[in-house]
Amino acid sequence: MKRYSTLIPLALAFLMACGDPSTSTDSSTPEMTEETESESSSRTTYTSVRLKTDMSLLNEEEKQVIPYLIRAAQFMDSVFWLQSYGDPETLLSGLSEADVDFARINYGPWDRLDDNAPFMEGVGSKALGAEFYPKDMTQEEFEAWDEPNKKSLYTLIRRADGGELVSVPYHIAYARQTDGAAAMLDSAASLTTDDALKNYLQLRAEALRSDDFMDSDRAWLDMKENHLDIIIGPIENYEDKLFGYKAAHEAYVLVKDMEWSARLDRYVQFLPDLQAGIPVDDVYKQDEPGRDAQLNAYDVIYYAGDCNAGSKTIAVNLPNDEELQVEKGTRRSQLKNAMKAKYDRILIPIADELITEEQRESISFEAFFGNTMFHEVAHGLGVKNTINGRGTVREALKAQHSALEEGKADILGLYMVTRLIEDGQWTEASLEEHYVTFLASIFRSVRFGASSAHGKANMLRFNYFQEKGAFTRDEKTGRYRVDMEKMAEAMNGLTAKILMLQGDGDLAGTETLMQEMGSIQETLAADLARLEEAGIPVDVVFEQGTQVLGL
Ligand code: ZN
């Protein structure tokens, strides 16, 4: 029997009456069509979006380069399958069409947005270390193993013929794919007349062949005027849930939105002034805000691997290497067309269901874009080090750090936008649009579950706002209304609370706050169930590639 969400008892009853659908592959009869529909609605629901950009802004040379970048990205998709599950053919052959689609979204037989619950019979649960480590390796064996490269981001752990552990560099373990991708990047480099892009592509090809990414990361940060871009390689370590040591392969092929990027660039200069104005005691804002952040907007034209699995990333802050961050800063990339897709397909329908009629017109894409963007920038504000000698905030708050830091970025992002609107520096959307859209976004984010850092941060904020009267819920309609004044007060209150917990390195206080405010109450759970019943998708899946682009 497959696993079904308890939120949809009707679908479950229907399936039980019909027997196990997985044993049948016949989809031609009307009964089976119905069964397939109710079956897919019991899993995390995705909506399909065509990933496009304004092709009239690209010249002939760029149109020739793009297919090579996409082919390079596709190799990352193959590597990520191996890291997440193994050979996809062994899984996909013999599955029904719906199961194949769902397995492709998840890169394996586990539902990523349902805590990796298996959605097929007989596959068991997903290994915490995915395919980065041997399945029979214990944590103790790994810890006791004397091998300098075992914790490297870029090695795979395997067993040699004699049974002992060995550490295999990615460029050897995945040589066919990484060499293939490198060759595509070299071809793209030979076609482009943009010298900075050419240099980066060549260095990145070398990096894929050697697993030494520093020079190419530097070249990437130095590249400022390029119209095309590709983020490619082993980058984030979320897929390794055993230790978090191993990076997973992914790629984004990007077209920079030159006009928006120029507009965003100016906000970095306001950071010191914004830091000074945060409504909290001076000792909690003594750190210098990071000024060396670049802020750009892009259309993504291809997602591959890790970033394409389950929930789709809409903003990226890279590189991850902390030494390099200190040396050269970071680039915060806003993926505008993907944001727009989530806004249109998910946020608007959520607002229709849960936001009071009178405030519905205050939902706007400009506000959604602004809130997401300032969230990224706000990670640079506040305190990085505790004020009482407890070390960095990250060290002091341990496992609680990510959720609180995400909560900080959300609330300080809203604070930034409030200040910039007051000062006449941000005119894309009104304050009411930002606040109402912010509330609707909380509903979108809590659907990812309270087990993720972002989900928990959103729950905390929702409960705090509710307690402070920042919004009210109409009993009759079940819809929510923002109280502008109380929302601003609650925003300031929560900002101070979070920054003090961080600055004091108050682990016990953070745990208490999360316990009291980090979970979903009954009324909200019922409201979220309404979204599910209305068939509102949780995330998007992309139709993408040269054909979709018309190349
Ligand atoms: Zn964040």
Side-chain angles (χ1 to χ4, degrees):
M1 190 68 202
K2 301 182 185 186
R3 192 172 182 286
Y4 297 99
S5 162
T6 50
L7 294 175
I8 312 187
L10 275 178
L12 180 62
F14 181 74
L15 285 165
M16 288 169 77
C18 293
D20 185 350
S22 66
T23 54
S24 172
T25 49
D26 179 5
S27 60
S28 58
T29 63
E31 291 91 330
M32 277 311 298
T33 310
E34 267 216 59
E35 194 162 85
T36 307
E37 277 170 12
S38 46
E39 180 189 339
S40 56
S41 71
S42 66
R43 299 167 170 181
T44 301
T45 338
Y46 291 81
T47 179
S48 180
V49 173
R50 287 169 77 82
L51 210 46
K52 301 180 88 157
T53 188
D54 183 353
M55 297 300 285
S56 71
L57 298 176
L58 296 166
N59 63 32
E60 282 314 307
E61 179 188 299
E62 289 165 340
K63 289 179 187 167
Q64 282 176 17
V65 171
I66 286 172
Y68 288 97
L69 299 181
I70 289 178
R71 267 175 249 160
Q74 286 164 340
F75 281 109
M76 298 299 105
D77 222 50
S78 309
V79 177
F80 186 68
W81 260 106
L82 297 176
Q83 292 168 332
S84 163
Y85 172 79
D87 179 5
E89 287 318 309
T90 61
L91 175 68
L92 301 178
S93 59
L95 290 188
S96 71
E97 213 175 298
D99 280 349
V100 167
D101 288 346
F102 202 58
R104 284 192 190 283
I105 289 171
N106 289 286
Y107 291 77
W110 305 282
D111 186 346
R112 286 173 181 270
L113 296 187
D114 188 15
D115 286 329
N116 274 330
F119 57 85
M120 288 166 44
E121 266 184 288
V123 291
S125 55
K126 184 171 181 175
L128 283 177
E131 297 293 319
F132 295 112
Y133 308 90
K135 293 279 158 45
D136 61 355
M137 183 195 81
T138 63
Q139 294 203 21
E140 293 73 25
E141 183 184 11
F142 183 80
E143 304 290 1
W145 179 32
D146 181 23
E147 156 62 45
N149 287 322
K150 68 179 182 182
K151 293 183 181 175
S152 163
L153 281 165
Y154 311 124
T155 64
L156 208 57
I157 308 304
R158 287 290 176 261
R159 284 199 190 282
D161 290 342
E164 69 273 23
L165 294 174
V166 285
S167 167
V168 189
Y170 280 175
H171 69 278
I172 293 171
Y174 307 121
R176 194 180 68 74
Q177 292 86 352
T178 49
D179 287 349
M184 290 301 137
L185 295 183
D186 279 336
S187 299
S190 69
L191 284 170
T192 183
T193 50
D194 177 331
D195 287 339
L197 178 63
K198 187 191 289 285
N199 178 46
Y200 163 64
L201 292 173
Q202 285 168 344
L203 287 171
R204 202 64 180 174
E206 264 324 290
L208 286 169
R209 294 188 182 104
S210 64
D211 294 318
D212 182 356
F213 293 90
M214 289 292 255
D215 287 347
S216 61
D217 278 345
R218 282 196 190 91
W220 182 69
L221 286 168
D222 286 338
M223 184 170 68
K224 305 251 166 84
E225 308 301 325
N226 58 310
H227 190 204
L228 299 185
D229 201 346
I230 182 168
I231 294 171
I232 186 168
I235 296 176
E236 306 289 356
N237 55 1
Y238 308 125
E239 186 69 5
D240 174 5
K241 291 183 168 54
L242 183 61
F243 294 115
Y245 295 145
K246 304 301 171 192
H249 284 71
E250 65 180 358
Y252 304 83
V253 180
L254 304 166
V255 178
K256 195 192 284 180
D257 186 325
M258 304 306 263
E259 190 204 327
W260 260 97
S261 296
R263 267 198 265 178
L264 298 187
D265 221 26
R266 28 192 306 269
Y267 293 103
V268 177
Q269 62 178 306
F270 299 120
L271 286 176
D273 186 45
L274 288 164
Q275 169 89 340
I278 297 174
V280 69
D281 197 285
D282 280 350
V283 293
Y284 295 105
K285 47 185 180 185
Q286 53 195 347
D287 288 355
E288 280 273 311
R291 265 162 177 286
D292 38 8
Q294 304 174 35
L295 205 51
N296 286 333
Y298 302 83
D299 279 346
V300 201
I301 52 174
Y302 206 86
Y303 277 83
D306 196 17
C307 61
N308 192 43
S311 176
K312 309 298 180 289
T313 312
I314 52 177
V316 210
N317 186 22
L318 288 171
N320 286 329
D321 187 275
E322 283 171 0
E323 266 174 60
L324 205 52
Q325 286 186 2
V326 172
E327 179 192 323
K328 295 190 83 78
T330 63
R331 176 177 290 152
R332 301 167 200 275
S333 307
Q334 311 291 315
L335 312 182
K336 204 156 173 272
N337 60 339
M339 275 183 205
K340 185 71 165 59
K342 292 203 191 193
Y343 173 81
D344 288 339
R345 302 294 189 89
I346 304 168
L347 197 78
I348 290 275
I350 286 177
D352 285 343
E353 199 68 40
L354 293 182
I355 298 295
T356 184
E357 195 113 9
E358 306 90 272
Q359 290 186 331
R360 268 291 288 106
E361 60 184 31
S362 290
I363 300 287
S364 81
F365 177 67
E366 287 70 21
F368 182 64
F369 179 73
N371 288 343
T372 312
M373 174 180 79
F374 287 114
H375 166 108
E376 288 300 320
V377 184
H379 275 299
L381 292 182
V383 275
K384 295 269 177 291
N385 298 298
T386 58
I387 61 166
N388 49 15
R390 288 184 170 163
T392 66
V393 174
R394 177 189 298 277
E395 287 160 1
L397 297 185
K398 300 192 171 80
Q400 297 291 337
H401 174 68
S402 322
L404 198 65
E405 174 63 22
E406 290 310 325
K408 179 203 87 175
D410 277 332
I411 202 75
L412 274 183
L414 198 62
Y415 153 79
M416 287 181 71
V417 105
T418 307
R419 280 279 316 275
L420 290 168
I421 287 174
E422 280 166 12
D423 298 347
Q425 297 291 358
W426 175 260
T427 53
E428 305 297 334
S430 71
L431 194 58
E432 180 150 13
E433 284 172 54
H434 278 279
Y435 284 10
V436 177
T437 305
F438 190 84
L439 177 61
S441 297
I442 296 180
F443 295 120
R444 187 182 76 87
S445 299
V446 291
R447 297 177 82 201
F448 293 122
S451 59
S452 77
H454 280 97
K456 220 189 249 176
N458 276 282
M459 275 324 305
L460 164 66
R461 189 164 47 260
F462 182 87
N463 289 327
Y464 185 90
F465 277 11
Q466 188 165 46
E467 195 183 284
K468 300 290 174 194
F471 57 79
T472 51
R473 181 180 182 276
D474 185 309
E475 289 298 325
K476 258 193 263 136
T477 60
R479 295 205 162 110
Y480 294 76
R481 169 201 302 277
V482 170
D483 180 320
M484 292 296 290
E485 217 161 288
K486 288 185 178 162
M487 180 93 156
E489 283 166 27
M491 176 184 81
N492 287 338
L494 186 57
T495 298
K497 203 178 184 71
I498 292 179
L499 287 186
M500 287 167 71
L501 286 169
Q502 290 192 323
D504 294 338
D506 185 355
L507 179 59
T510 307
E511 279 168 347
T512 309
L513 183 70
M514 288 295 178
Q515 228 153 42
E516 284 170 355
M517 299 228 163
S519 56
I520 298 181
Q521 308 295 322
E522 213 172 302
T523 312
L524 177 60
D527 289 337
L528 294 178
R530 270 162 57 203
L531 302 180
E532 207 138 332
E533 278 156 27
I536 299 171
V538 174
D539 218 293
V540 292
V541 56
F542 298 119
E543 279 176 65
Q544 55 179 1
T546 46
Q547 253 179 346
V548 173
L549 294 168
L551 286 174

